Amino acid sequence: MRARLLAIAIVATACEKPVVAWSDISYPSQPPAAAPVPVTQVADGNACTATIRQGVSGADTVAAWWSIRSDSSSVLMFSRSTGGEWAVPTAVDTTDASHRGCSRPAPAIAADLSAGYVHIVYFLEPTSGAGVFFAHSMDATGFHDPVSIAFGKRASEVSIASSGDRIAVAYEEPNAERGQIWLALSGTMGHIFESRMPVSSGNEIAGSPRVFLDGTKLEVTWTERLQADSSGRSRLATRTGTWN
């Protein structure tokens, strides 16, 4: 009886659909899309303008950035612009214990202000351990305590996209021996990230991810360094998938 139950369990597991049905990695000939344009008019004299990232939802704009303290540690800040007027910035995460100054990866932000949702992902170095973290607001003002996506010491570039209750976070895996792009998925507005998976090949050096999400349709792009090319050139790589 026990053997029969084990066999049934094995068959059921084998028949389960993967979380994402991926295409093969492809290499488009067109250059990567332009990087996000920094917002320069936020009311924060300590802001690293190169790290300001914005998202648009309806007629409003939201922004996240690093604000630098006197000891070169940072605070993750957020603000919202309505009718061209930026609100007083709000601190999202104050736990950074590094001394990088402005030499740190920018956060990424996505918003659906019609529902009140704002989602931010970022690399941080608190005393409890460095890694990629996620914070969100359900009313576009106050933020819940951040949750960890991945722990690791390597400073990681990040990207985020949302569609309804679904959130996709692409990031440079902070523990990979060489640069590799991973994806974290949440079907619960970021309360829990149920799945994490590699997207790029472990045999290549990948970085600078960007993720796009429309319903169940995913697309992840990144740059891939050509190891055999001594000039250090890179190429654009992309992969599409259906989130089951």
Side-chain angles (χ1 to χ4, degrees), residues 1 75 89 190:
M1 183 64 177
V75 178

Side-chain angles (χ1 to χ4, degrees), residues 201-214:
S201 168
N203 297 321
E204 307 296 341
I205 300 174
S208 302
R210 294 191 69 189
V211 62
F212 307 89
L213 176 63
D214 183 5

Side-chain angles (χ1 to χ4, degrees), residues 157-239:
E157 292 188 36
V158 295
S159 178
I160 190 169
S162 65
S163 183
D165 291 347
R166 297 190 177 213
I167 297 170
V169 172
Y171 57 98
E172 297 173 348
E173 217 309 306
N175 284 303
E177 292 183 4
R178 61 179 68 210
Q180 187 177 25
I181 306 305
W182 277 58
L183 189 71
L185 299 174
S186 171
T188 57
M189 297 175 289
H191 294 288
I192 299 174
F193 281 85
E194 300 89 354
S195 302
R196 294 168 176 80
M197 66 199 71
V199 180
S200 68
S201 168
N203 297 321
E204 307 296 341
I205 300 174
S208 302
R210 294 191 69 189
V211 62
F212 307 89
L213 176 63
D214 183 5
T216 62
K217 301 301 180 182
L218 284 161
E219 181 180 6
V220 184
T221 66
W222 62 91
T223 56
E224 197 168 272
R225 189 183 308 168
L226 302 177
Q227 298 184 64
D229 190 331
S230 60
S231 67
R233 291 186 303 173
S234 60
R235 61 183 175 181
L236 176 67
T238 186
R239 200 171 191 184

Side-chain angles (χ1 to χ4, degrees), residues 57 59-62 79-87 113 140:
S57 180
D60 289 3
T61 302
V62 293
S79 186
R80 175 178 177 176
S81 172
T82 302
E85 295 291 330
W86 286 96
L113 297 179

